[in-house]
Amino acid sequence: KILGCILIVEPTNLIYSEMLVTRELVLFSLGYFLLSLGLIFPPNEFYGFGLTIEHICSSLLGDEGLHFIRYHIRLTSARIVIHSFIPLIYYIITAAYFSAFEVSIKVAFVLSLPCFTSALTVLKWWRRGDWSDHPLARTLRGHIRDPAEWIAVGNTISTEFRRYDKFVYGKTWGKVVVTDNWILRCGLYRMDVAYQPDVHLNILTTSTLKDTSHRTTEFVQINVSSVNTACRDFVIRLNVMDYADLTAKLQAPILNVRNIVFQQSLSDRFEAAFREEVLRNGRYEVPSQVEECIGCLYAPADVKLSKLCDDRDQGDCRNCLCRPMWCLRCLVKWFANRQNANAPERWLGGKAPCPTCRSTFCPRDVQMVETMG
């Protein structure tokens, strides 16, 4: 009887041990898959902890602000190599800690080794001729007659990227950059580039997402097509609230042939209400043409702050002695950014300091500028 009990208990323990190991392997595989997915498509939490390729390889990539094109050539190359390591690292860990699953480990090795070797082969191919075979270099060559001059085009884009008035949306893959003459969309392993004078833009569709606090965010997808046959069409996606800033930087209008209607953003609604309030305050006459707005540097400085809400010595508002230096749109953004974000219904009754002299003002103290005569 004792021998029979031993024979029964030993297989039972063996089965239970195998079940535990199987459970650990499944949990490890699931966790490794989620970690790998976060490394490829990093969420905000990964940015906060520095678990991104941009942060890990920052010393090798250089400065994006100084050498934009070279930075992204190195970044896409680093991505393809590090991403190819993911299956190989999985194989090494499973081989070291889960040796009981020989078949699964062999399958992981068969899948990981070709992936890694292919990535190294591609990297070696891209590096030839000072990265002249990289997909980004080939894209830039499509915009010039002399293929050897792609570096000069890249330097031009990098120079424009250093300017402060560029439009940038997004962080990593899907990042949209619009400079004075170029539209760029950053992908995982390549970058789409379009020369602004050659492009046609058209709104494709909009989509709405809800976050955990049930706030809705609307996104718009815009197709960018070029008359240059060497430039492939691509789609950029951005928040509707950034749509106005995008159009301000583009040379060509964005067509809306499908008559797609956007949900007006909170900032747009506040700007309209602020403008209506300002128009009730009368005009401020100036003897000569006004200068450009010091905020955006392209719109005329068309507003003046003057204490109109109360008597000169009453209330919190103060008389501003600054000459017209800001446009209404920039002043509205300044004003809105200094209000309580959780109480937008109170913004129009709020106050803010003058961007230049810090004198307190309210919407009733803002006047549109008018040239005499």
Side-chain angles (χ1 to χ4, degrees):
K1 291 183 179 180
I2 295 175
L3 181 61
C5 291
I6 294 175
L7 293 175
I8 294 174
V9 169
E10 286 185 351
T12 303
N13 291 337
L14 182 61
I15 294 173
Y16 181 71
S17 176
E18 290 180 353
M19 290 177 61
L20 287 178
V21 174
T22 304
R23 180 185 176 186
E24 291 176 357
L25 178 61
V26 171
L27 292 176
F28 166 75
S29 300
L30 180 60
Y32 189 84
F33 172 76
L34 295 176
L35 181 65
S36 303
L37 194 64
L39 186 64
I40 298 174
F41 306 106
N44 292 331
E45 291 76 12
F46 274 55
Y47 280 99
F49 289 108
L51 296 176
T52 61
I53 294 177
E54 293 90 327
H55 185 269
I56 296 172
C57 303
S58 58
S59 59
L60 300 176
L61 300 178
D63 190 347
E64 182 186 29
L66 295 177
H67 308 286
F68 178 79
I69 294 298
R70 288 286 182 179
Y71 176 89
H72 281 276
I73 286 178
R74 297 190 186 107
L75 177 59
T76 51
S77 303
R79 279 176 181 158
I80 196 172
V81 173
I82 293 177
H83 293 171
S84 70
F85 262 111
I86 292 176
L88 186 62
I89 294 175
Y90 178 81
Y91 160 73
I92 294 173
I93 296 175
T94 52
Y97 294 97
F98 303 99
S99 57
F101 296 88
E102 295 182 2
V103 177
S104 300
I105 293 174
K106 289 180 180 179
V107 171
F109 177 76
V110 170
L111 295 176
S112 63
L113 189 61
C115 183
F116 176 66
T117 55
S118 299
L120 293 181
T121 303
V122 169
L123 179 63
K124 184 178 180 181
W125 178 272
W126 284 358
R127 283 183 57 87
R128 295 193 313 169
D130 193 20
W131 298 100
S132 60
D133 287 319
H134 190 277
L136 180 52
R138 293 199 298 267
T139 300
L140 296 179
R141 283 201 295 269
H143 294 277
I144 52 176
R145 294 182 178 178
D146 185 1
E149 295 297 324
W150 71 270
I151 296 179
V153 179
N155 291 337
T156 300
I157 297 175
S158 298
T159 300
E160 293 186 7
F161 185 80
R162 297 189 196 110
R163 298 170 185 166
Y164 65 91
D165 59 341
K166 60 184 176 292
F167 173 83
V168 179
Y169 177 82
K171 292 181 179 179
T172 176
W173 60 278
K175 179 178 180 180
V176 178
V177 177
V178 181
T179 65
D180 293 340
N181 296 293
W182 300 91
I183 302 175
L184 308 105
R185 179 191 175 276
C186 305
L188 277 177
Y189 308 120
R190 62 166 295 150
M191 178 186 292
D192 294 304
V193 181
Y195 186 52
Q196 282 217 47
D198 295 341
V199 302
H200 300 286
L201 301 105
N202 183 36
I203 298 175
L204 295 179
T205 184
T206 59
S207 58
T208 303
L209 297 178
K210 279 188 177 182
D211 58 15
T212 54
S213 58
H214 301 288
R215 291 183 298 181
T216 59
T217 304
E218 188 175 16
F219 295 89
V220 58
Q221 290 185 337
I222 302 172
N223 183 66
V224 181
S225 60
S226 176
V227 296
N228 184 355
T229 56
C231 177
R232 72 169 191 173
D233 295 358
F234 58 94
V235 176
I236 58 177
R237 181 177 182 268
L238 69 153
N239 194 316
V240 167
M241 296 184 66
D242 297 290
Y243 180 79
D245 294 331
L246 172 67
T247 55
K249 193 61 182 174
L250 293 172
Q251 297 180 11
I254 301 178
L255 303 179
N256 189 2
V257 295
R258 293 179 174 86
N259 295 321
I260 297 174
V261 179
F262 297 163
Q263 293 181 4
Q264 197 175 27
S265 65
L266 175 61
S267 59
D268 290 337
R269 296 197 301 270
F270 178 69
E271 181 180 349
F274 195 97
R275 183 182 295 273
E276 290 180 5
E277 185 69 25
V278 169
L279 292 177
R280 298 192 188 103
N281 299 334
R283 299 277 179 169
Y284 182 88
E285 292 188 343
V286 293
S288 59
Q289 290 289 340
V290 295
E291 302 172 354
E292 290 182 344
C293 170
I294 64 174
C296 60
L297 294 180
Y298 64 85
D302 55 0
V303 290
K304 172 72 172 72
L305 301 181
S306 303
K307 183 174 171 61
L308 302 173
C309 58
D310 292 305
D311 293 336
R312 185 172 294 273
D313 297 326
Q314 293 181 352
D316 296 330
C317 296
R318 295 289 179 265
N319 192 43
C320 176
L321 301 178
C322 300
R323 69 181 190 277
M325 302 173 67
W326 299 84
C327 68
L328 180 60
R329 184 176 181 84
C330 289
L331 188 69
V332 171
K333 290 181 179 180
W334 169 272
F335 189 91
N337 287 335
R338 276 140 191 87
Q339 308 306 311
N340 184 358
N342 297 320
E345 67 279 359
R346 300 179 181 176
W347 288 4
L348 206 56
K351 301 178 187 298
C354 168
T356 308
C357 70
R358 305 304 180 187
S359 298
T360 304
F361 74 96
C362 66
R364 291 180 59 191
D365 299 327
V366 184
Q367 290 181 292
M368 298 299 296
V369 170
E370 185 176 55
T371 305
M372 292 182 182

